[in-house]
Amino acid sequence: MSESNTKNQLVDRFGRTVNYIRLSVTDRCDLRCVYCMPEKMKFVPRTQLLTLEEIESIARSFIGLGVDKIRITGGEPLVRKNILQLFNNLGEIEALRDLTLTTNGTQLKKFARPLKDAGVTRINVSLDTLRADRFHDMTRIGDLQQTLDGLDTAIACDFDQIKLNSVVMKNHNHDEMHDLVKFCIDRGIDISFIEEMPLGDNDHHDRAATYCSSDEILADLEQHYEIIPTTMKTAGPTRYYRLAEHDNTRVGFISPHSHNFCDSCNRVRLTAEGRLLLCLGQEHSMDLRRVVRSNPGDKQALENAIIDSMQLKPKGHEFDLNSQTVLLRHMNLTGG
Ligand code: SAM
Ligand code: SF4
């Protein structure tokens, strides 16, 4: 099947059309964010990770079946060896309308320009705080300046959108929301505030105690700005607001707990090991690594498996911050 096929064949049991895939290209990372992974994270053996060629062929099959948006994520995608080759190859596929990246920004000083040249349209940079000591605490090892330098380089490259992603935690960074928005206004970029999701075991903090709802953040920001709801949609779950008098910055909220977004879910995720996850918050999955490795070069087998997987997509997630049972999968493997 050609990649220019426009009829989307990926419809689930609930009538939702999947036109968006997030590809986690590695579970490795140069940071250790406290909400994402444990300090002594056990990474997947390299032989179990998909090769870049396998990732590309899976991506091509998805595009052939109607997907037109891809987000490359991880782990930290820019620490994967030869990752630029994947961006260059995907960027050449005409049917792919939106090629995006989520990164912690540490490597952007080197990669922003080549990524733009490869055809990356939008970049999300994760940044939870503007204070160097807090940044070091929340990432366990990070250097704030390195991320800021990367972000500035990306801003200078004129992508369609640069957005900060900030996970908000009580007693960690919840008092910095206004500072972060001001930082974005000064640079003409967007920001999304994210409610922490209970993925993977976590002995660093009590997730129910650090939970900060999007509504609390919104109420806080309303003390400083006139905030206007919009109908703006990118491919993801973000609800966007405009700021009166600051046209170049939108404020978004990703609120898995307080504003469930499953009804309009249009996406699936491929883990770094090649497991196709039909929902971020459930374990329903299809092992695409097994499909590609047991049927080398067989595009039809891969496409059939992807089409069949749509029957597994569940109605929605069941995140519960107070539950004793958590999904064992950490966000770095899942592909946030
Ligand atoms: N390393 C890259 C980065 O940090 O942007 C890409 C991968 S990271 C897993 C993708 C996004 O997931 C980041 O914006 C991060 O803040 C977010 N994230 C990680 N763990 C999370 C959690 N438990 N709940 C909500 N968001 C999380
Ligand atoms: Fe690394 Fe991103 Fe997870 Fe932070 S959120 S540890 S930067 S993968």
Side-chain angles (χ1 to χ4, degrees), residues 106-299:
T106 60
Q107 311 299 316
L108 274 178
K109 198 168 173 181
K110 172 175 164 202
F111 281 109
R113 174 50 61 191
L115 287 168
K116 170 79 180 163
D117 293 344
V120 170
T121 43
R122 301 184 286 124
I123 298 189
N124 289 353
V125 180
S126 299
L127 181 63
D128 309 316
T129 172
L130 298 169
R131 302 192 198 169
D133 54 341
R134 283 186 177 183
F135 186 84
H136 190 267
D137 287 347
M138 287 185 78
T139 61
R140 294 200 181 93
I141 44 180
D143 168 15
L144 175 65
Q145 197 55 50
Q146 195 180 340
T147 291
L148 293 180
D149 290 347
L151 177 64
D152 282 341
T153 310
I155 291 171
C157 290
D158 205 19
F159 288 92
D160 292 352
Q161 186 193 30
I162 302 266
K163 178 166 74 99
L164 294 193
N165 273 352
S166 304
V167 175
V168 186
M169 295 169 68
K170 284 255 169 74
N171 302 322
H172 288 74
N173 63 342
H174 80 278
D175 53 349
E176 267 191 81
M177 302 308 103
H178 172 47
D179 291 350
L180 281 163
V181 170
K182 187 167 178 314
F183 176 90
C184 290
I185 290 172
D186 291 345
R187 285 158 185 75
I189 62 175
D190 296 331
I191 184 163
S192 279
F193 294 111
I194 305 176
E195 293 177 350
E196 183 182 352
M197 301 170 211
L199 291 181
D201 55 335
N202 163 49
D203 56 10
H204 175 269
H205 54 278
D206 172 350
R207 283 175 168 141
T210 55
Y211 172 64
C212 186
S213 78
S214 298
D215 290 346
E216 283 177 76
I217 301 165
L218 189 58
D220 179 19
L221 292 176
E222 275 169 345
Q223 307 288 319
H224 305 276
Y225 303 101
E226 189 187 336
I227 301 190
I228 304 151
T230 74
T231 51
M232 177 186 162
K233 281 285 312 144
T234 51
T238 310
R239 291 175 296 127
Y240 281 102
Y241 291 75
R242 267 190 326 108
L243 300 173
E245 295 170 33
H246 302 291
D247 282 345
N248 293 327
T249 295
R250 282 150 304 185
V251 177
F253 294 94
I254 301 176
S255 323
H257 303 289
S258 57
H259 294 260
N260 185 297
F261 40 65
C262 300
D263 278 358
S264 58
C265 184
N266 61 343
R267 56 203 161 271
V268 292
R269 292 176 161 79
L270 186 70
T271 72
E273 299 168 288
R275 198 150 74 95
L276 182 69
L277 291 171
L278 284 308
C279 171
L280 174 63
Q282 303 272 13
E283 290 299 1
H284 305 66
S285 68
M286 168 88 69
D287 183 358
L288 291 186
R289 185 185 63 195
R290 189 187 54 72
V291 176
V292 288
R293 291 193 183 169
S294 51
N295 304 278
D298 185 345
K299 288 185 188 167

Side-chain angles (χ1 to χ4, degrees), residues 28-33 35-37 74-76 104 126 332:
R28 269 80 175 161
C29 187
D30 52 354
L31 300 181
R32 296 283 183 277
C33 301
Y35 44 75
C36 178
M37 61 167 88
E76 175 45 44
N104 63 27
S126 299
N332 66 307

